[in-house]
Amino acid sequence: MQATLAQVEQWRRESVAISRGLKRRDSGLVEQLIEQYQHRLLRYLVFLTNHRETAEDIFQETWMRVLERGPQYDGRARFETWLFTIARNLVIDLSRKRKMTSLDALREPNDSAAPFEPESAEISPFRHCESQQEARRIAAAMLRLDALQREALVLRFHEEMSLDEISRVTRAPLSTVKSRLYRGLAALKPHIVEVAP
């Protein structure tokens, strides 16, 4: 998905406005940002940690960091890139505290809860049910992937970030991001077929 010049200019203006608001510690802006990004951020954290309660704790801590470090955001990158980077770093910090070796280690051994799925805006109950079933199938298949591949897929397809933005969030070279996406998609295909009804 290539952004148009108009979209890039709009993102730049929004980023600068957010930067100014965070420097002023504008509480109304922070509430608006939480409202705008809450579902996407929580979904990302659930996919990273594979544990709803851990994701919710990190979600809260992420917004605390935004409040504390808001004046550091300079608006050169999109706000969501900065926000997701903070969240990712908190997951990594937690895994280090727990002496874990990978993001997958955050999964609780007996955790069988389904990943968080935000409510759909679908009107038809049949379409809603059908899309929920498809989402559960894909979520179950994604949980079988390598954590770094899963993260790249979530950022690209759920969060619709560009490859450059994913590279900044994950602090990985662009070639590595491309490789993770390619390998993740290739690994995902047999799992989706396997879990299909």
Side-chain angles (χ1 to χ4, degrees), residues 39-50:
H39 296 295
R40 292 174 58 196
L41 180 61
L42 186 56
R43 179 178 58 207
Y44 171 69
L45 288 168
V46 168
F47 270 111
L48 271 187
T49 64
N50 197 27

Side-chain angles (χ1 to χ4, degrees), residues 151-182:
E151 177 185 34
L153 289 171
V154 167
L155 290 174
R156 181 69 174 137
F157 297 108
H158 281 278
E159 304 309 324
E160 298 181 358
M161 289 187 178
S162 70
L163 297 178
D164 288 331
E165 289 170 326
I166 296 169
S167 177
R168 284 194 293 272
V169 168
T170 61
R171 294 186 180 151
L174 191 56
S175 60
T176 302
V177 169
K178 290 177 183 178
S179 174
R180 287 175 184 169
L181 285 169
Y182 175 79

Side-chain angles (χ1 to χ4, degrees), residues 44-61:
Y44 171 69
L45 288 168
V46 168
F47 270 111
L48 271 187
T49 64
N50 197 27
H51 190 256
R52 176 65 186 254
E53 289 176 10
T54 302
E56 288 173 350
D57 290 343
I58 296 172
F59 175 87
Q60 295 296 328
E61 182 62 26

Side-chain angles (χ1 to χ4, degrees), residues 33-43 59 63:
L33 293 172
I34 291 171
E35 180 70 27
Q36 182 176 351
Y37 291 101
Q38 64 183 341
H39 296 295
R40 292 174 58 196
L41 180 61
L42 186 56
R43 179 178 58 207
F59 175 87
W63 288 108

Side-chain angles (χ1 to χ4, degrees), residues 120 122-134:
S120 172
E122 295 285 331
I123 296 172
S124 161
F126 175 76
R127 297 290 293 156
H128 177 72
C129 181
E130 186 179 55
S131 84
Q132 289 293 81
Q133 288 175 347
E134 184 68 16

Side-chain angles (χ1 to χ4, degrees), residues 95-139:
S95 70
R96 286 180 184 148
K97 285 180 189 172
R98 293 183 177 179
K99 297 184 188 240
M100 296 176 190
T101 58
S102 72
L103 294 175
D104 273 337
L106 286 171
R107 182 176 182 166
E108 294 292 320
N110 296 324
D111 187 17
S112 60
F116 170 71
E117 292 294 330
E119 288 187 30
S120 172
E122 295 285 331
I123 296 172
S124 161
F126 175 76
R127 297 290 293 156
H128 177 72
C129 181
E130 186 179 55
S131 84
Q132 289 293 81
Q133 288 175 347
E134 184 68 16
R136 280 193 291 273
R137 282 181 49 232
I138 292 171

